[in-house]
Amino acid sequence: MSYYIDDDTIERVRSSNNIVDIVSEYLTLKRTGSNYVGICPFHSEKTPSFTVSDTKQFYHCFGCGEGGDVISFIMKKENLSFPEAVKFLADKAGIPLKEKEFKKNKELENKKAKLYEINREAARYFYKNLKANNQALFYLKQRAIDKRTATVFGLGFADRSWDSLYSYLTRKGYKEADIEKAGLIIKKKGKDGYYDRFRNRIIFPIIDTRGRVIAFGGRVIDSSNPKYLNSPETPVFSKGNNLFGLNILRKHSNIKKVVLVEGYMDVISLYSRGIDYTLASLGTAFTEQQAKYLKRYGDEVYLCYDSDVAGLKATDKALEILKKEGINAKVLPLPSGKDPDDFIKEEGKEKFEQLFDSSLSYIDFKIYFYKKQYNLNNLDEKIKFTKNVAKFLKRIKSPIEIDVYLDKISQETNISK
């Protein structure tokens, strides 16, 4: 019997084993700033050049060049294969691995490999479509998305036809059942045959950190609904376990900060204007697993959601999840009625970067959020605001912080401390 380890389990094992704790079992680490250093266990040296990042959960030796995550460290230090290293760490974290016959394991991996292949072929098809469709190119030009940015993100276009992608993939020899399992076609109700899921939409390929196309997002180029359409959950795609733009962000080795936004176009629009450190959740509420990804890729985390009521509520929920994961994220407040895409197009990179100077801490945002919900010129609403803020302040453990914020709110509302 062998152990079957799927991608989600591997990620759970990786995120459940802090690299600093694991490496500390093999060598002495000393904290220097936000990182840890020690004598490299992989080559002889007298001056420590082995660095471990608690934030990014990676190690790197500046002497011999070795580097990687917690799994690769165990593989090299214990001389284990990848599955053996995952099991080693799973046992440490108390994560059970499913035992399955190797044959079944291999069959499942082959099925996933086929879906990755179909997605890659679909991405190529959409990409070629975009280059040949003037209407889609004009739409991107209106959105100020240049050719270079479109190429970096692998943007594509699904035409109006009900079955053009279906016909293309079946001509390539792919089976209907596999294309449907990839989420690219939908079976007709009560009839034989299939139709394309994405039609008359700009296509955003969703790519994982290993460079595999795992799903797609699509945005209409006219006024039809729904505005955005996303791939369903598939054997290779789980919305809550991925982030849009992570494959691009991961290429930057010296990430100081990461900005989390709501949509594909926010990420792309910001990137096209030099803000190349943004990520977006994928058509779902922000999750704990996505928070773990953020913890690994940025020293500082900022939220920049839409400034409407729905955006503020989503920001509030995401802040709570990040706080639970030990991330002291801050919020970049946008003018009323604006989203990041609007703001960067109208104000430019310099003005966007100035938002960091006025970023709101967890407590500051909570007060800002409550104030947005109530009309403080109305007596009843001012009372409701004060009661809600008071409830929140009770949760703060620092007496000094409570005192400072009580003073601040008292002055702003003219209600005695």
Side-chain angles (χ1 to χ4, degrees):
M1 298 290 278
S2 63
Y3 285 96
Y4 164 58
I5 313 172
D6 61 21
D7 289 345
D8 288 344
T9 303
I10 291 169
E11 190 52 49
R12 187 181 165 203
V13 168
R14 188 182 280 120
S15 61
S16 298
N17 285 274
N18 186 287
I19 195 167
V20 175
D21 297 336
I22 297 300
V23 172
S24 295
E25 295 178 12
Y26 296 88
L27 60 139
T28 302
L29 293 176
K30 182 180 178 182
R31 183 163 195 139
T32 58
S34 61
N35 295 325
Y36 294 81
V37 297
I39 298 295
C40 181
F42 305 128
H43 82 288
S44 298
E45 65 176 10
K46 293 182 180 179
T47 304
S49 61
F50 186 84
T51 303
V52 182
S53 170
D54 185 32
T55 305
K56 298 176 185 176
Q57 290 293 297
F58 273 78
Y59 72 89
H60 179 75
C61 177
F62 292 93
C64 67
E66 283 292 340
D69 62 9
V70 67
I71 297 175
S72 57
F73 177 83
I74 290 299
M75 285 174 65
K76 188 160 183 67
K77 195 74 186 80
E78 296 287 347
N79 193 27
L80 299 174
S81 66
F82 183 83
E84 289 170 337
V86 172
K87 183 175 186 314
F88 179 94
L89 291 168
D91 290 342
K92 272 186 171 294
I95 298 171
L97 299 182
K98 300 173 186 176
E99 280 194 295
K100 286 192 176 182
E101 292 178 12
F102 179 77
K103 184 179 178 182
K104 288 183 180 178
N105 180 11
K106 192 67 177 174
E107 284 175 359
L108 185 60
E109 290 308 311
N110 286 342
K111 286 178 181 177
K112 284 189 173 183
K114 179 62 67 176
L115 297 185
Y116 290 129
E117 186 182 320
I118 289 171
N119 283 339
R120 184 178 70 241
E121 196 61 52
R124 288 173 176 167
Y125 175 78
F126 290 138
Y127 180 73
K128 288 179 183 177
N129 268 3
L130 176 66
K131 294 172 75 173
N133 191 287
N134 290 330
Q135 187 183 8
L137 291 171
F138 180 70
Y139 172 82
L140 290 182
K141 186 177 180 181
Q142 282 184 311
R143 299 298 297 264
I145 304 301
D146 58 28
K147 288 183 180 179
R148 175 185 166 274
T149 302
T151 301
V152 167
F153 285 90
L155 300 187
F157 181 67
D159 60 34
R160 291 179 178 275
S161 169
W162 282 85
D163 61 358
S164 60
L165 178 64
Y166 165 75
S167 298
Y168 173 80
L169 291 175
T170 51
R171 285 199 306 271
K172 284 279 184 178
Y174 296 111
K175 296 177 182 176
E176 292 175 339
D178 290 333
I179 305 170
E180 182 184 18
K181 195 171 287 184
L184 291 166
I185 58 174
I186 300 170
K187 193 169 181 62
K188 294 178 180 177
K189 290 182 179 179
K191 299 179 182 178
D192 292 333
Y194 295 84
Y195 60 91
D196 292 350
R197 179 180 296 275
F198 299 103
R199 301 180 307 281
N200 198 34
R201 293 174 183 271
I202 295 294
I203 298 295
F204 309 94
I206 299 164
I207 302 170
D208 67 11
T209 55
R210 293 164 68 179
R212 302 173 302 192
V213 181
I214 57 176
F216 298 91
R219 191 200 190 284
V220 294
I221 60 173
D222 54 24
S223 58
S224 57
N225 285 307
K227 184 187 288 186
Y228 282 96
L229 185 65
N230 300 297
S231 290
E233 300 264 324
T234 73
V236 298
F237 176 59
S238 174
K239 293 178 184 178
N241 287 344
N242 295 279
L243 288 163
F244 180 71
L246 193 55
N247 60 307
I248 294 169
L249 183 82
R250 197 169 181 265
K251 295 175 183 177
H252 300 277
S253 57
N254 296 314
I255 305 166
K256 297 298 181 186
K257 55 194 172 192
V258 175
V259 177
L260 181 69
V261 294
E262 287 187 272
Y264 307 117
M265 285 304 299
D266 292 326
V267 172
I268 293 168
S269 188
L270 289 166
Y271 180 93
S272 70
R273 290 162 182 81
I275 307 296
D276 56 2
Y277 42 87
T278 59
L279 298 170
S281 50
L282 297 164
T284 184
F286 187 66
T287 67
E288 290 183 13
Q289 188 58 50
Q290 289 171 332
K292 286 183 170 68
Y293 279 128
L294 281 178
K295 191 174 185 179
R296 188 182 309 157
Y297 289 104
D299 296 331
E300 302 169 21
V301 175
Y302 295 86
L303 295 171
C304 189
Y305 283 9
D306 296 359
S307 58
D308 58 13
V309 174
L312 291 173
K313 287 182 177 178
T315 301
D316 187 52
K317 288 179 181 177
L319 266 183
E320 292 294 343
I321 291 171
L322 290 165
K323 189 172 179 62
K324 186 179 177 182
E325 289 297 322
I327 302 171
N328 292 316
K330 293 184 177 181
V331 178
L332 302 182
L334 293 174
S336 181
K338 299 293 181 185
D339 60 27
D341 181 23
D342 296 327
F343 186 87
I344 194 78
K345 281 193 292 192
E346 294 171 12
E347 303 294 340
K349 180 183 178 182
E350 187 177 340
K351 282 288 181 68
F352 184 86
E353 290 180 327
Q354 288 174 9
L355 293 174
F356 292 101
D357 297 331
S358 56
S359 61
L360 303 175
S361 68
Y362 173 77
I363 300 175
D364 283 322
F365 173 77
K366 287 288 187 179
I367 296 169
Y368 174 83
F369 179 48
Y370 286 129
K371 284 167 73 175
K372 285 285 185 179
Q373 294 180 70
Y374 299 101
N375 176 9
L376 299 188
N377 293 319
N378 178 287
L379 184 60
D380 289 338
E381 296 214 5
K382 182 187 280 193
I383 291 169
K384 288 177 183 177
F385 162 78
T386 309
K387 284 181 176 179
N388 276 301
V389 167
K391 279 182 187 177
F392 167 69
L393 291 175
K394 281 183 180 180
R395 291 161 47 190
I396 300 172
K397 294 179 180 179
S398 167
I400 296 173
E401 281 188 305
I402 291 175
D403 198 51
V404 168
Y405 283 102
L406 279 174
D407 277 339
K408 181 178 180 180
I409 296 166
S410 176
Q411 290 173 14
E412 290 179 358
T413 60
N414 289 321
I415 298 173
S416 72
K417 185 174 172 179

